C-alpha cells in the first residue's frame, strides 16, 4: 500500500488509491467530500460506507470510487437502455439501474404525440436499444430520458452491446478520455461508452478488432487500478494484433 | 422471507415532535416518567372451557391468554416431562394492520420470546406434569390473543401468560392399588409454577435533529412507532435474566446496555409486584370481560 | 438448551473444550467473498463446521410496487437451513425458528445498510445454512454483511456476529452445537464494531447479571476478531486494486 500521496494535512486518514471498506475512518474535521452515500459523516469524522478506492484530490478534498455496485442514475449521464414495456404515452427502459428509464413518446416521435392517431408500439418494440441522456432524476421519480440536445442519441440499429461493472466506466474512459482514445484508435472501432455500464461497439474493421477491444475492456474491468494500466492496455492491443496477423511483429 | 415493514401507519410530524418535546423535558405525552409502565388491569378465569385464562390491559393494549391442558405423548428427548407449547395470534380486531391468515413473523417471534423466557429457567416444573412416565404427559398449550394493540404486546402477553398459568386448574391424577391411572373429572390441581417470570421492554427513541437518545419503559403504540429499537429482557422473580431480544430497525450502543438492563429490571419488578398483588387479593367472584 | 445428561463431559481436566479449544477461543474461521457469479454480492463463511452461503441482490426493482417505501429501500431477508444441514433431515418448509431468525437477522442488518440512498428499491438477502454446528445465525449475519459489501451497497459498518454460551458453569466463545445443546445459556450477539453499536442481541437460557456482562464482553472479543477477518477477506478479493498507475 502506497503512502506516497498521503495528504500533508492531518485530516485525511487514507492514502491516494488505498482500498477502503464500510466503516473505515477516512478523514476527520473539515474535509470536502463528495458522492454521498459512499461517504458519511459521524460527528466530526468522515467514514467510508463502501468497498472502494480513495481518491485524494488536493489537500482537503476526497472522493471514494466504489469498486462494485449498481448504476445510480445522475442527471446528464449518457445511458444505453433496452425497451422493456410500452405504454400509451411512454416506454420503460431497462437502464441497469434499480429505477426504470422513462422515455416519452414525443422523444421517440420527434414531435408531440397525437393520442387519437399515434400508436406508440408501431414506432418502438420491446427489446429496442436506445442511447439516451438522463434529463431529470431525483430519487422520487424514475429517471426521465431524452433523445434531444446531443448528436448520437436515439435508436440503435447496429453493433454489439457489452456490459461492464458500472463503477468501472470512469476507468474505461480514463483521465481526459486517455484510455478510451487508446482503445478506439488502436482497434479502430466506433464505440459508445455509457455511464450505466453498457458499451456499444460498432463498425469495427474486423471480428478480430472487436474481440481485441472487448478483451482490453475486460482487462481494465478486472484490474482497474493496475500500475501503468494505460501503457499495458496499449501493449496488450499491439500484441494481440500481431498474434492475429492484423499487423506484422516488426512495428 | 422477512421484509422491512411497509404497512406502517404514518404518524403526523407534529405529533412526533410533540412526543420528542415531552421527552426532552424528561416526561412523556401521557405524563408518565421514563421508567413507568402504563396502568395495568387484570382479570382471570374468564373462559370456563379453558384450564386457565387471563385478560390483561396494559394501558389500552389488551391481551387474552388461554391455557388448555391435555394429555399427550412426551418428546423422545424428555420422556419424564410435560410439554409447553406457546402460540400467539394477532386478532384482526386488534389493529387495522393485522389481517387474518397465517401468523406473521412478529407473532411467531413474540411466541418464541415468551416460550424462551419460561423454558430454561424451568418456571414450570414440567417433571411434575407427567401422567405415565415415558408414555403420557400433560401438554400445556398457552394461546395468547392480542385483542387490541396499543404498543408493547410483548410485556402484556408475558403478564397474561404468567397470570393464566398461576390461576389454571388441571385434573388430579391418581394411581389405584392395582396400578391403574385415574384422571379425575374435577380440576383441582395447580400447574406447578416454580418461579414467576416476566418480560420487560424498553424502547429507544432518537431525536434525529438533536441526536439525543431516550430510553423509555413500556412504550405506547405511538412511542413504538417513532422508536427505532426495542429491547426486551425477561427476569425471574429471583433476579435471574431468563431471556433477551433486541428488535426493530436500529441498534443499541454498547455503553447503553447497563442503563437498559437496570431500567428493564425495575420495570419487571413493577410487573411482578402487580401480579403478586392480584394473586394475593384474588377473590372468589367470577369476573367477566 | 437441554438438561445436562449425566456422563456428558464438555471439558477436559485441563479445562479445554470437546474440540480442544480454550473457553475464549473461536473455531477456525474461513471467509470467502464474491463466490457466486450471478448475485450482486456473495460470501461463504465457516465457523468450524457451521457453513453458510449468503447472496445479495439489489438494490433492484422488484416489480411489486406495494412493497416499496418512498424514503428508503425495503430489505428482505431469508434465513434458511438446507434439508441436509442437520443430523436429521430438516423439512425445507420454513419453521417457526427460521421465520423468527429471518426477522432477527434482517433487523441485525437494517441498522448498517444506508437504506435512505435507494428509495423505492428492494435489497434481497439470502442466507443458506449448508451445515449446522451451532452459531448459524451469527455466522449468517457475518456472511450477509460481507455479501452486502461485495454488492457495493453502502453500509455504515460491517456487521460481525458470534455467540457466547454458558456450558457447565463456564462462559465459552462461539459454541458448537453440542455445547449449545447441553449448555445453560446461549447469547448470540452481532454488532457494528467500529461504531460499537449492537444490532443483534438475544438470550436463550439463564444468566445472572454478572454473567451477562462477562458474556457480552467475551462476545465483543470474538466480534472484533471476526471483524478483522472480514476486512482481510474483502481486501483480498480486491487485491491489486489499490496499486498505483
Amino acid at each position: 500500500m502506497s503512502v506516497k500521496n498521503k495528504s500533508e494535512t492531518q485530516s485525511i486518514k487514507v492514502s491516494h488509491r488505498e482500498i477502503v471498506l464500510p466503516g473505515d475512518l477516512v478523514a476527520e474535521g473539515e474535509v470536502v467530500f463528495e458522492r454521498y452515500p459512499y461517504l458519511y459523516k459521524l460527528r466530526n469524522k468522515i467514514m467510508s460506507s463502501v468497498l472502494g478506492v480513495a481518491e485524494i484530490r488536493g489537500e482537503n478534498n476526497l472522493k471514494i470510487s466504489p469498486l462494485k455496485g449498481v448504476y445510480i442514475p445522475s442527471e446528464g449521464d449518457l445511458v444505453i437502455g433496452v425497451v422493456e414495456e410500452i405504454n400509451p404515452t411512454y416506454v420503460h427502459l431497462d437502464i441497469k439501474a434499480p429505477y426504470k428509464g422513462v422515455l416519452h413518446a414525443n422523444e421517440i416521435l420527434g414531435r408531440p404525440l397525437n393520442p387519437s392517431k399515434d400508436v406508440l408500439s408501431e414506432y418502438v418494440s420491446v427489446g429496442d436499444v436506445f442511447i439516451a441522456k438522463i434529463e431529470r432524476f431525483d430519487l422520487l421519480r424514475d429517471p426521465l430520458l431524452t433523445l434531444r440536445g446531443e448528436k448520437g442519441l436515439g435508436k440503435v440499429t447496429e453493433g454489439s452491446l457489452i456490459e461492464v461493472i458500472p463503477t468501472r466506466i470512469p476507468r474505461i474512459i480514463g483521465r481526459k478520455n486517455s484510455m478510451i482514445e487508446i482503445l478506439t484508435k488502436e482497434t479502430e472501432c466506433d464505440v459508445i461508452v455509457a455511464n450505466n455500464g453498457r458499451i456499444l461497439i460498432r463498425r469495427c474493421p474486423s471480428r478480430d478488432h472487436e474481440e481485441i477491444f472487448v478483451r482490453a475492456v475486460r482487462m481494465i474491468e478486472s484490474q482497474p487500478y493496475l500500475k501503468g494500466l494505460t501503457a499495458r492496455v496499449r501493449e496488450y492491443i499491439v500484441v494481440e494484433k500481431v498474434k492475429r496477423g492484423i499487423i506484422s511483429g516488426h512495428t | 422471507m422477512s421484509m422491512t415493514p411497509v404497512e406502517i401507519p404514518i404518524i403526523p410530524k407534529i405529533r412526533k415532535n410533540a412526543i420528542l418535546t415531552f421527552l426532552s423535558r424528561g416526561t412523556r405525552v401521557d405524563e408518565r416518567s421514563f421508567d413507568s409502565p402504563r396502568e395495568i388491569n387484570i382479570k382471570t378465569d374468564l373462559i370456563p372451557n379453558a384450564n386457565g385464562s387471563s385478560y390483561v390491559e396494559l394501558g389500552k393494549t389488551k391481551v387474552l391468554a388461554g391455557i388448555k391442558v391435555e394429555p399427550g405423548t412426551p418428546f423422545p428427548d424428555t420422556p419424564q416431562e410435560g410439554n409447553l407449547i406457546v402460540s400467539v395470534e394477532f386478532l384482526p380486531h386488534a389493529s387495522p394492520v393485522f389481517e387474518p391468515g397465517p401468523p406473521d413473523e412478529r407473532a411467531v417471534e413474540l411466541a418464541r420470546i415468551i416460550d424462551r423466557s419460561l423454558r430454561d429457567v424451568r418456571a414450570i416444573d414440567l417433571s411434575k406434569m407427567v401422567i405415565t412416565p415415558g408414555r403420557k404427559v400433560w401438554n400445556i398449550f398457552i394461546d395468547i390473543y392480542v385483542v387490541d394493540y396499543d404498543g408493547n404486546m410483548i410485556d402484556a402477553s408475558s403478564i397474561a401468560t404468567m397470570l393464566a398459568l398461576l390461576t389454571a386448574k388441571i385434573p388430579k391424577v391418581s394411581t389405584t392399588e392395582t396400578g391403574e391411572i385415574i384422571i379425575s373429572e374435577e380440576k383441582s390441581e395447580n400447574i406447578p409454577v416454580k418461579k414467576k417470570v416476566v418480560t420487560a421492554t424498553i424502547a429507544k427513541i432518537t431525536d434525529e435533529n438533536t441526536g439525543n437518545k431516550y430510553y423509555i419503559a413500556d412504550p405506547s403504540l405511538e412511542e413504538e412507532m417513532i422508536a427505532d429499537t426495542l429491547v426486551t429482557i425477561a427476569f425471574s422473580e429471583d433476579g435471574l435474566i431468563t431471556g433477551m431480544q433486541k428488535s426493530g430497525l436500529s441498534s443499541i450502543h454498547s455503553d447503553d446496555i447497563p442503563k437498559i438492563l437496570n431500567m428493564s429490571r425495575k420495570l419487571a419488578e413493577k410487573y411482578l409486584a402487580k401480579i403478586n398483588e392480584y394473586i394475593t387479593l384474588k377473590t372468589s367472584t367470577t369476573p367477566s370481560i | 438448551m437441554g438438561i445436562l445428561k449425566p456422563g456428558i463431559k464438555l471439558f477436559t481436566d485441563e479445562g479445554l473444550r470437546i474440540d480442544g479449544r480454550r473457553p475464549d477461543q473461536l473455531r477456525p474461521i474461513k471467509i470467502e467473498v464474491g463466490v457466486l457469479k450471478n448475485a450482486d454480492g456473495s460470501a461463504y463463511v465457516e465457523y468450524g463446521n457451521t457453513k453458510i452461503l449468503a447472496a445479495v441482490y439489489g438494490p433492484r426493482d422488484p416489480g411489486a410496487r406495494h412493497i416499496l417505501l418512498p424514503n428508503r429501500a425495503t430489505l428482505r431477508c431469508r434465513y434458511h437451513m438446507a434439508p441436509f444441514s442437520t443430523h436429521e433431515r430438516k423439512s425445507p418448509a420454513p419453521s417457526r425458528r427460521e421465520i423468527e431468525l429471518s426477522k432477527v437477522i434482517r433487523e441485525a442488518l437494517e441498522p448498517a445498510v444506508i437504506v435512505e440512498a435507494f428509495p423505492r428499491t428492494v435489497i434481497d438477502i439470502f442466507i443458506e445454512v449448508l451445515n449446522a454446528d451451532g452459531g448459524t445465525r451469527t455466522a449468517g449475519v457475518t456472511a450477509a454483511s460481507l455479501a452486502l459489501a461485495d454488492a457495493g451497497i453502502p453500509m455504515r459498518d460491517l456487521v460481525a456476529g458470534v455467540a457466547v454460551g454458558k456450558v457447565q458453569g463456564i462462559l465459552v466463545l462461539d459454541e458448537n452445537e453440542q455445547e449449545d445443546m447441553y449448555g445453560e445459556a446461549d447469547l448470540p450477539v452481532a454488532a457494528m464494531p467500529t461504531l460499537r453499536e449492537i444490532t443483534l442481541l438475544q438470550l436463550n437460557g439463564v444468566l445472572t447479571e454478572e454473567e451477562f456482562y462477562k458474556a457480552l464482553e467475551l462476545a465483543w472479543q470474538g466480534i472484533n476478531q471476526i471483524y478483522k477477518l472480514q476486512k482481510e477477506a474483502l481486501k483480498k478479493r480486491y487485491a491489486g486494486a489499490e496499486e498505483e498507475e
Side-chain angles (χ1 to χ4, degrees):
Chain A
M1 206 169 297
S2 161
V3 288
K4 224 190 290 174
N5 287 320
K6 187 138 193 163
S7 174
E8 293 296 309
T9 59
Q10 283 303 297
S11 44
I12 292 180
K13 305 286 181 196
V14 287
S15 330
H16 186 53
R17 291 283 161 82
E18 184 176 332
I19 290 195
V20 294
L21 300 175
D24 279 358
L25 172 71
V26 293
E28 230 164 338
E30 291 306 307
V31 167
V32 182
F33 65 102
E34 64 172 66
R35 285 211 79 142
Y36 172 86
Y38 305 133
L39 289 167
Y40 75 97
K41 234 176 150 148
L42 183 73
R43 290 176 291 276
N44 67 331
K45 291 176 173 145
I46 296 161
M47 317 287 286
S48 164
S49 69
V50 284
L51 178 65
V53 174
E55 292 191 21
I56 297 164
R57 315 149 128 204
E59 236 174 54
N60 281 315
N61 195 319
L62 176 73
K63 149 185 175 154
I64 301 293
S65 296
L67 281 165
K68 281 194 71 182
V70 294
Y71 168 65
I72 304 170
S74 176
E75 286 177 11
D77 274 5
L78 189 73
V79 294
I80 298 176
V82 181
V83 175
E84 235 183 27
E85 194 187 313
I86 302 164
N87 295 287
T89 60
Y90 65 94
V91 298
H92 263 160
L93 265 67
D94 162 37
I95 54 166
K96 255 174 72 110
Y99 308 99
K100 301 256 173 280
V102 177
L103 188 60
H104 280 289
N106 52 359
E107 296 282 344
I108 297 165
L109 301 174
R111 57 169 169 83
L113 176 91
N114 182 348
S116 61
K117 249 175 71 193
D118 293 321
V119 180
L120 201 49
S121 58
E122 286 173 5
Y123 298 89
V124 59
S125 49
V126 170
D128 279 355
V129 176
F130 279 90
I131 301 172
K133 210 165 187 109
I134 296 183
E135 188 166 59
R136 203 182 64 215
F137 178 61
D138 58 10
L139 288 177
L140 285 172
R141 280 171 299 191
D142 285 335
L144 191 67
L145 306 180
T146 181
L147 303 177
R148 284 178 288 200
E150 208 164 299
K151 245 181 102 182
L153 303 183
K155 190 146 98 177
V156 175
T157 49
E158 53 158 351
S160 50
L161 202 58
I162 63 164
E163 295 196 345
V164 298
I165 299 169
T167 59
R168 295 289 194 279
I169 291 296
R171 301 298 297 161
I172 290 163
I173 293 170
R175 192 171 301 142
K176 292 185 185 131
N177 296 326
S178 55
M179 189 68 87
I180 192 66
E181 270 171 18
I182 288 169
L183 287 168
T184 50
K185 204 176 136 222
E186 295 292 331
T187 63
E188 297 164 66
C189 295
D190 174 15
V191 168
I192 290 169
V193 181
N195 296 91
N196 63 332
R198 285 196 176 124
I199 300 173
L200 181 70
I201 312 160
R202 291 186 288 202
R203 296 189 278 272
C204 293
S206 74
R207 182 99 199 112
D208 274 329
H209 284 86
E210 182 175 330
E211 219 174 288
I212 295 169
F213 175 86
V214 174
R215 285 178 177 221
V217 165
R218 295 293 174 218
M219 180 176 157
I220 303 166
E221 193 184 17
S222 63
Q223 295 168 297
Y225 293 98
L226 198 67
K227 198 173 169 164
L229 185 61
T230 326
R232 281 182 200 227
V233 168
R234 191 199 301 271
E235 191 191 318
Y236 175 80
I237 295 175
V238 171
V239 168
E240 281 294 312
K241 277 159 91 174
V242 171
K243 255 201 247 168
R244 291 161 196 258
I246 296 170
I247 51 171
S248 75
H250 306 294
T251 34
Chain B
M1 196 144 64
S2 173
M3 187 171 87
T4 310
V6 290
E7 278 184 36
I8 334 156
I10 288 159
I11 187 161
K13 262 205 178 130
I14 47 169
R15 184 63 184 163
K16 181 177 173 176
N17 290 341
I19 297 171
L20 289 170
T21 305
F22 273 94
L23 292 174
S24 71
R25 292 185 195 137
T27 180
R28 293 159 78 173
V29 268
D30 55 9
E31 294 176 345
R32 279 189 284 160
S33 62
F34 286 5
D35 54 3
S36 300
R38 290 167 289 180
E39 194 185 311
I40 301 169
N41 289 305
I42 298 167
K43 288 172 185 171
T44 58
D45 309 282
L46 315 139
I47 311 292
N49 285 341
N51 293 79
S53 59
S54 69
Y55 172 76
V56 169
E57 290 178 354
L58 180 57
K60 287 183 181 129
T61 289
K62 302 174 186 74
V63 169
L64 178 65
I67 292 181
K68 294 290 278 181
V69 179
E70 290 172 355
T73 45
F75 285 114
D77 54 340
T78 52
Q80 312 291 338
E81 287 189 4
N83 298 320
L84 176 68
I85 302 106
V86 184
S87 309
V88 171
E89 177 96 21
F90 296 168
L91 280 202
H93 313 50
S95 161
V97 297
F98 294 168
E99 280 171 19
D104 92 352
E105 60 177 25
R106 285 172 303 170
V108 172
E109 180 185 38
L110 174 45
R112 290 175 57 85
I113 291 171
I114 303 291
D115 181 303
R116 286 195 292 262
S117 75
L118 303 170
R119 193 170 291 276
D120 281 355
V121 74
R122 306 187 72 71
I124 304 163
D125 189 352
L126 293 174
S127 67
K128 297 223 166 75
M129 298 296 284
V130 177
I131 303 166
T132 318
R135 294 187 48 201
K136 210 174 194 187
V137 296
W138 290 116
N139 281 336
I140 308 172
F141 293 96
I142 304 176
D143 284 282
I144 300 163
Y145 263 38
V146 176
V147 179
D148 207 353
Y149 173 40
D150 192 39
N152 197 11
M153 330 187 236
I154 305 178
D155 295 357
S157 301
S158 170
I159 297 166
T161 299
M162 202 30 66
L163 284 158
L165 282 168
L166 289 166
T167 55
K169 293 288 175 199
I170 59 172
K172 191 180 169 68
V173 178
S174 50
T175 315
T176 62
E177 280 173 22
T178 56
E180 200 188 342
I181 288 168
I182 296 168
I183 299 173
S184 72
E185 286 290 309
E186 195 197 350
K187 293 167 185 155
S188 59
E189 299 290 300
N190 293 326
I191 290 177
V193 177
K194 287 204 311 191
K195 277 182 188 180
K196 296 186 195 86
V197 170
V198 283
T199 65
T201 298
I202 307 298
K204 174 188 155 202
I205 294 178
T206 311
D207 185 335
E208 288 147 21
N209 296 319
T210 62
N212 288 339
K213 288 184 280 187
Y214 304 100
Y215 290 100
I216 53 167
D218 176 33
S220 67
L221 181 60
E222 54 181 12
E223 287 170 335
E224 241 178 48
M225 278 159 64
I226 66 166
D228 46 35
T229 311
L230 301 181
V231 179
T232 299
I233 306 181
F235 293 92
S236 58
E237 57 189 330
D238 53 356
L240 295 170
I241 303 170
T242 70
M244 217 176 258
Q245 188 100 340
K246 171 252 164 192
S247 58
L249 300 182
S250 187
S251 52
I252 298 289
H253 197 279
S254 207
D255 296 347
D256 293 344
I257 296 285
K259 186 187 173 105
I260 295 167
L261 190 55
N262 289 337
M263 272 185 92
S264 58
R265 184 183 287 282
K266 278 185 196 141
L267 179 60
E269 280 162 7
K270 285 177 187 154
Y271 291 152
L272 282 166
K274 194 79 197 175
I275 292 170
N276 287 330
E277 179 195 289
Y278 177 85
I279 295 295
T280 316
L281 290 175
K282 192 174 172 257
T283 56
S284 55
T285 50
T286 310
S288 58
I289 292 182
Chain C
M1 247 81 331
I3 333 104
L4 186 64
K5 285 193 182 139
I8 290 183
K9 253 184 95 178
L10 293 166
F11 292 96
T12 66
D13 295 338
E14 294 78 39
L16 294 179
R17 295 153 70 177
I18 34 175
D19 53 12
R21 282 183 290 160
R22 297 185 314 272
D24 64 350
Q25 204 177 347
L26 293 168
R27 287 175 284 185
I29 288 177
K30 183 178 164 189
I31 298 177
E32 272 182 72
V33 179
V35 293
L36 302 176
K37 175 188 161 279
N38 278 333
D40 294 315
S42 59
Y44 174 76
V45 166
E46 286 182 6
Y47 288 11
N49 280 327
T50 286
K51 298 168 198 279
I52 310 282
L53 180 64
V56 164
Y57 282 89
R60 63 178 173 180
D61 178 347
R65 315 301 295 175
H66 69 276
I67 65 165
L68 299 180
L69 289 161
N71 55 347
R72 53 161 288 169
T74 303
L75 256 55
R76 290 192 293 194
C77 174
R78 184 177 93 143
Y79 163 95
H80 185 253
M81 297 181 94
F84 48 75
S85 67
T86 47
H87 290 287
E88 277 174 37
R89 180 178 184 271
K90 193 213 144 274
S91 155
S95 64
R96 290 166 66 84
R97 178 180 172 277
E98 288 167 301
I99 291 169
E100 184 198 355
L101 290 190
S102 295
K103 176 177 186 285
V104 166
I105 292 171
R106 175 177 56 76
E107 291 178 338
L109 298 167
E110 295 255 15
V113 178
I114 301 182
V115 288
E116 312 84 80
F118 304 104
R120 306 183 294 115
T121 66
V122 166
I123 298 170
D124 283 316
I125 303 158
F126 302 114
I127 297 164
E128 194 70 20
V129 179
L130 303 178
N131 195 72
D133 187 23
T136 59
R137 85 194 66 180
T138 46
V141 170
T142 298
S145 110
L146 286 164
L148 285 163
D150 183 46
I153 291 169
M155 287 194 285
R156 288 174 182 85
D157 198 355
L158 297 172
V159 185
V162 78
V164 169
K166 183 185 169 192
V167 177
Q168 299 181 343
I170 298 169
L171 294 176
V172 298
L173 182 61
D174 184 25
E175 323 109 273
N176 61 31
E177 187 175 84
Q178 232 177 337
E179 290 172 328
D180 185 26
M181 205 149 65
Y182 298 114
E184 300 97 88
D186 175 34
L187 181 85
V189 184
M192 296 186 273
T194 301
L195 309 183
R196 286 194 62 75
E197 290 278 341
I198 294 170
T199 69
L200 183 156
L201 180 65
Q202 288 186 288
L203 168 66
N204 185 10
V206 185
L207 292 174
T208 65
E209 193 167 314
E210 198 193 340
E211 285 168 339
F212 165 69
Y213 284 122
K214 280 190 181 155
L216 190 60
E217 189 44 48
L218 191 55
W220 269 113
Q221 281 179 35
I223 284 169
N224 289 331
Q225 290 174 55
I226 292 163
Y227 186 52
K228 254 179 92 179
L229 297 172
Q230 281 180 308
K231 291 193 149 190
E232 279 169 21
L234 273 172
K235 284 205 167 155
K236 196 177 145 208
R237 162 106 166 102
Y238 292 95
E242 80 279 27
E243 277 182 65
E244 274 189 57
E245 201 174 320

